[in-house]
Each structure stands twice: as C-alpha cells, then as structure tokens.
C-alpha cells in the first residue's frame, strides 16, 4: 500500500479565474488591489482538548507557537498558524512545501489530526489604503479598529462565511469557500467601482 505522500500530486484550481482580469487581478485600482493567492495551501489541524499538549506539539513538530484566541503565529518557514476555534488551527503554507508537511503530520500524537482543505477555499489578498472602506460595506466586523496585525476573525462578507487575517499593515487575507467565490467576487468588484 502506498503512502499519502507518495500519492500527493499538487494541482492548483480556482473558481475565481472567470472573474479575474487578464493580469490576474479581481480589483486593480488606485489604493485598492485584490488578487488571488495561488501559492498557498490550507491545512486544518484538529487539536486535542489538552492546550499544553497542543502547544508542545506545534512547537516540536512545526517550530511555531500555538496561536492564542483570534490570533496567528508564524514560524521560520513562513507558515501561518491561524486560530479558528479552541480545537481548530488553520495552517497556511507554501504549497511547494506540502510534501515536507505531510511527513511532519505523521508525527502528530493521538487526538490530533489534519485535513487538506486547499481545494475548498480560495485565498484573496487585499492591499491599499481603501481595503477597509471596501470590505466594511459587506462586513459587520470593525476592520479598521479591531482587526489589528496578527488577528484572525471568522465573519461574513455579505452572506458568505469568510475568514480574514491581517498579516501586515495595509494588507489583508480572506479565505472564501469556493462555493461562494462568484458571489463574493461580485460584491467586491461592484463595490470597488464606487470607491
């Protein structure tokens, strides 16, 4: 029987492609740019109920701090660990490192598991001074005042559930289920014309 690593074939597929312009942007205007990130993959790590054990495991296996509630941590490889709930961490990583991560996942202790959710979500990156203005039209969460650097929040964009994360000032990542990609893209493109 062959292993998961041996059968792992990376293939990037997007549902945003039909709404991107010829240069690959969803939005590209002064002080507001939105593009799909195609070099990141998303792994979901289900943790145990033992917070201390989880912290030790994440440190030992991934050389990262276990993120606190509504926050993120980063390791030396540039992998982002996003807190989603008390028993769920999302790992955003470079898809070229997927084989190495799959090997590391074999070391997870009993009570912890992973799922590759790369095929379920698209990742949009927003940059520019008008990001908060655009997104605040469709989100009830206070992006400008409450979404500080390193903070992760599950919210909605219109009626679509999304996860947002501010990694640096003037930059924001949004994870959108592919089943909502055209809906979210329509809201964003239409609203960007009015800014």
């Amino acid at each position: 029987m062959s292993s998961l690593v041996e059968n792992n074939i990376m293939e990037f597929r997007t549902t945003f492609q039909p709404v991107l312009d010829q240069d690959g942007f969803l939005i590209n205007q002064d002080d507001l740019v939105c593009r799909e990130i195609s070099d990141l993959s998303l792994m979901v790590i289900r943790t145990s109920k033992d917070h201390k054990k989880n912290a030790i495991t994440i440190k030992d296996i991934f050389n990262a701090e276990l993120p606190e509630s509504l926050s993120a941590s980063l390791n030396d490889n540039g992998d982002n660990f996003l807190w989603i709930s008390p028993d769920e961490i999302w790992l955003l990583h470079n898809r070229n490192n997927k084989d190495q991560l799959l090997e590391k996942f074999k070391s997870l202790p009993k009570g912890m598991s992973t799922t590759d959710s790369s095929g379920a979500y698209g990742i949009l990156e927003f940059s520019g001074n008008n990001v908060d203005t655009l997104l605040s039209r469709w989100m009830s969460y206070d992006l400008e005042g409450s979404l500080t650097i390193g903070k992760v929040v599950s919210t909605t964009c219109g009626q679509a559930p999304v996860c947002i994360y501010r990694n640096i000032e003037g930059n924001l990542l949004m994870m959108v289920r592919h089943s909502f990609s055209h809906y979210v893209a329509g809201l964003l493109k239409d609203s960007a014309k009015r800014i």
Side-chain angles (χ1 to χ4, degrees), residues 174-192:
M174 178 190 292
M175 281 66 76
V176 181
R177 281 198 171 275
H178 284 304
S179 55
F180 293 106
S181 61
H182 286 107
Y183 167 74
V184 168
L187 293 179
L188 299 175
K189 285 176 79 82
D190 183 60
S191 295

Side-chain angles (χ1 to χ4, degrees), residues 43-132:
M43 300 293 284
V44 175
I45 303 173
R46 294 283 181 186
T47 58
S48 71
K49 294 180 181 180
D50 186 340
H51 182 78
K52 188 174 181 179
K53 179 181 171 183
N54 296 335
I56 291 169
T57 300
I58 296 297
K59 185 68 170 173
D60 289 348
I61 296 176
F62 303 106
N63 194 27
E65 299 297 322
L66 183 68
E68 296 298 322
S69 297
L70 302 174
S71 67
S73 65
L74 185 70
N75 68 9
D76 294 337
N77 295 332
D79 300 326
N80 284 288
F81 296 81
L82 311 177
W83 185 93
I84 301 300
S85 71
D87 66 346
E88 185 175 332
I89 305 296
W90 283 7
L91 167 55
L92 281 176
H93 65 90
N94 186 305
R95 69 178 63 249
N96 294 329
N97 298 334
K98 194 169 198 173
D99 289 343
Q100 296 167 345
L101 283 172
L102 290 173
E103 280 298 321
K104 288 182 177 186
F105 289 140
K106 291 179 180 179
S107 303
L108 288 176
K110 186 176 180 180
M112 293 180 79
S113 63
T114 62
T115 304
D116 185 351
S117 290
S118 302
Y121 288 86
I123 303 168
L124 296 175
E125 178 184 51
F126 296 85
S127 58
N129 293 327
N130 285 325
V131 171
D132 293 346

